Amino acid sequence: MESDPENRSSEYDPKSLNKYGFSTSNMMSSGSSYNLPLIREREQKWFEMLKNWDHSMTYEYDKVRRRCRKGIPHSLRAAAWRALCGGADLQKHNPGRFEELLKEESTWSATIEKDLHRTYKTHELFAEKGGMGQAELFKVLQAYSVYNPKVGYCQGMSSLAGILLMLMPAEQAFWCLVALMSKYLPGYYSEGLLAIQLDAKVMESLVKDINPEISVFLERQGMQSTFYCIDWYMCVYTRTLPWETVLRLWDIFLCEGVKVLIKAGVTILLLAFSDKHVRERCSNFGKTIKYLKYRLPQQLLQEDYFINEISDKKMKETHLSQLAKLKEICGQ
């Protein structure tokens, strides 16, 4: 199930790039087809909605959410993501701040520098050592480490900054990263990963409510959720799902919040282990974790199917209460 190119191959082939900039020989695809007239229709709707964004979010949020679930047209994805997360507003109200941060020294510079080559290394933007993409990635991460010295830098943050840089310039990506870290993922990168542990507990509870057999199976195999969901949550599934599905997931995540990450984890577990014969074959911890990470049938992760499965998952009041408690604990 690992779709992250850096976990599949270290080779970058500029002759075999897909439309997202990855070497196709190293990139897992969801195999989705594209309806050009439908895309053009959705582009027009999103263009009109973005022109009246405050009104749309205040009075027509259900429409915004519905359109995010259908998928944001890729041509407008950068503008939509900036509007959804609030990065555009942050940049507007902090003119010149990004450049000021770049002039300051950071204690994390050496660590960030070492991690640059590990980020999307089969993507055309980041493939060249010392190239423009890596330089821009360094700027975003360096600036954030100065902006928020309490968090500084953590390796998973490069995956977030990287996907943003694939869509937008460094300054825009920086302010979107600021919004992600403060509004969506507070506590995810703090010492002890408290927020991730709490979200994992919510995920376990939801799985138990939906399919108790899978919950019992995972417990029997010693599959603590933190063994597999830390990477899911910290990287917002950029290292887990086919890229088309990643983008669709982010469309919804930026609209609806962290509960989408929890429901995505639940969906993966249910798709992985709903089949009794699969559970029988996964007879120990090693086989179970290997199946979950590397052998899940890819058709189950196809973007439309996977997104529909997420959208169908309902969180009970008890789960929402747990999330509210999480926000309180993490100081949000």
Side-chain angles (χ1 to χ4, degrees), residues 47-62:
F47 184 73
E48 294 298 326
M49 196 161 62
L50 286 167
K51 285 199 304 183
N52 302 283
W53 186 248
D54 290 341
H55 175 86
S56 296
M57 286 297 287
T58 303
Y59 300 105
E60 300 179 317
Y61 174 74
D62 287 345

Side-chain angles (χ1 to χ4, degrees), residues 98 102 135-137 139-140 165 168-176:
F98 178 65
L102 292 178
E136 296 297 279
L137 180 61
K139 287 181 182 179
V140 172
L165 283 169
M168 61 191 75
E171 185 173 6
Q172 294 180 8
F174 167 75
W175 288 111
C176 286

Side-chain angles (χ1 to χ4, degrees), residues 6 10 12 102 109 112-142 158 161-162 165-166 170:
E6 59 201 89
S10 60
Y12 165 72
L102 292 178
S109 296
I112 294 171
E113 187 75 42
K114 290 178 182 178
D115 285 344
L116 293 178
H117 74 282
R118 299 189 179 102
T119 306
Y120 303 119
K121 58 188 178 183
T122 60
H123 189 278
E124 60 177 346
L125 184 61
F126 305 108
E128 181 184 354
K129 184 176 181 180
M132 182 189 71
Q134 290 192 7
E136 296 297 279
L137 180 61
F138 179 82
K139 287 181 182 179
V140 172
L141 297 172
Q142 163 103 345
S158 63
L165 283 169
M166 292 178 201

Side-chain angles (χ1 to χ4, degrees), residues 26-307:
N26 302 318
M27 192 66 191
M28 185 168 60
S29 172
S30 70
S32 298
S33 59
Y34 295 90
N35 182 330
L36 189 57
L38 179 60
I39 291 173
R40 292 292 176 260
E41 179 184 341
R42 289 180 176 175
E43 284 176 339
Q44 185 60 37
K45 290 179 178 179
W46 269 96
F47 184 73
E48 294 298 326
M49 196 161 62
L50 286 167
K51 285 199 304 183
N52 302 283
W53 186 248
D54 290 341
H55 175 86
S56 296
M57 286 297 287
T58 303
Y59 300 105
E60 300 179 317
Y61 174 74
D62 287 345
K63 180 192 291 186
V64 175
R65 180 176 59 186
R66 186 169 62 253
R67 290 181 177 174
C68 285
R69 289 184 176 186
K70 289 180 179 179
I72 300 171
H74 197 64
S75 60
L76 293 174
R77 194 164 254 138
W81 283 12
R82 293 180 68 224
L84 283 165
C85 74
D89 281 341
L90 285 172
Q91 183 175 347
K92 179 180 178 181
H93 292 104
N94 291 277
R97 179 64 172 143
F98 178 65
E99 294 299 329
E100 292 174 1
L101 291 168
L102 292 178
K103 296 176 183 178
E104 299 184 34
E105 294 184 2
S106 170
T107 57
W108 293 97
S109 296
T111 304
I112 294 171
E113 187 75 42
K114 290 178 182 178
D115 285 344
L116 293 178
H117 74 282
R118 299 189 179 102
T119 306
Y120 303 119
K121 58 188 178 183
T122 60
H123 189 278
E124 60 177 346
L125 184 61
F126 305 108
E128 181 184 354
K129 184 176 181 180
M132 182 189 71
Q134 290 192 7
E136 296 297 279
L137 180 61
F138 179 82
K139 287 181 182 179
V140 172
L141 297 172
Q142 163 103 345
Y144 186 81
S145 70
V146 175
Y147 178 86
N148 187 354
K150 185 176 180 180
V151 173
Y153 169 74
C154 183
Q155 191 175 42
M157 292 165 57
S158 63
S159 294
L160 309 187
I163 188 174
L164 294 170
L165 283 169
M166 292 178 201
L167 297 175
M168 61 191 75
E171 185 173 6
Q172 294 180 8
F174 167 75
W175 288 111
C176 286
L177 180 64
V178 170
L180 283 172
M181 297 292 288
S182 61
K183 292 170 55 180
Y184 295 80
L185 307 172
Y188 265 48
Y189 298 89
S190 62
E191 186 175 353
L193 306 177
L194 175 61
I196 289 181
Q197 292 188 52
L198 291 173
D199 279 356
K201 292 296 183 184
V202 177
M203 182 182 70
E204 290 175 355
S205 177
L206 193 52
V207 170
K208 188 174 183 179
D209 284 350
I210 296 174
N211 193 321
E213 289 186 1
I214 292 179
S215 180
V216 171
F217 164 76
L218 293 172
E219 290 179 9
R220 186 183 303 125
Q221 302 294 16
M223 288 279 289
Q224 298 179 28
S225 56
T226 50
F227 290 161
Y228 49 85
C229 74
I230 288 179
D231 188 64
W232 292 355
Y233 290 171
M234 289 186 75
C235 300
V236 191
Y237 295 94
T238 56
R239 295 161 55 95
T240 305
L241 299 169
W243 200 249
E244 294 95 334
T245 310
V246 169
L247 294 173
R248 290 284 302 280
L249 180 71
W250 274 62
D251 292 346
I252 306 173
F253 164 60
L254 294 177
C255 179
E256 301 182 39
V258 73
K259 67 180 182 181
V260 172
L261 306 188
I262 295 172
K263 292 198 287 185
V266 171
T267 299
I268 290 174
L269 292 173
L270 296 179
L271 292 176
F273 301 117
S274 290
D275 189 329
K276 178 182 178 181
H277 299 295
V278 170
R279 298 199 299 270
E280 290 174 349
R281 290 198 301 271
C282 296
S283 56
N284 56 45
F285 173 83
K287 290 181 179 179
T288 305
I289 196 72
K290 189 173 184 178
Y291 180 82
L292 181 61
K293 286 191 171 184
Y294 305 111
R295 296 184 177 178
L296 190 63
Q298 294 308 304
Q299 64 268 26
L300 299 181
L301 302 181
Q302 191 273 341
E303 58 177 293
D304 288 327
Y305 182 82
F306 190 80
I307 295 302

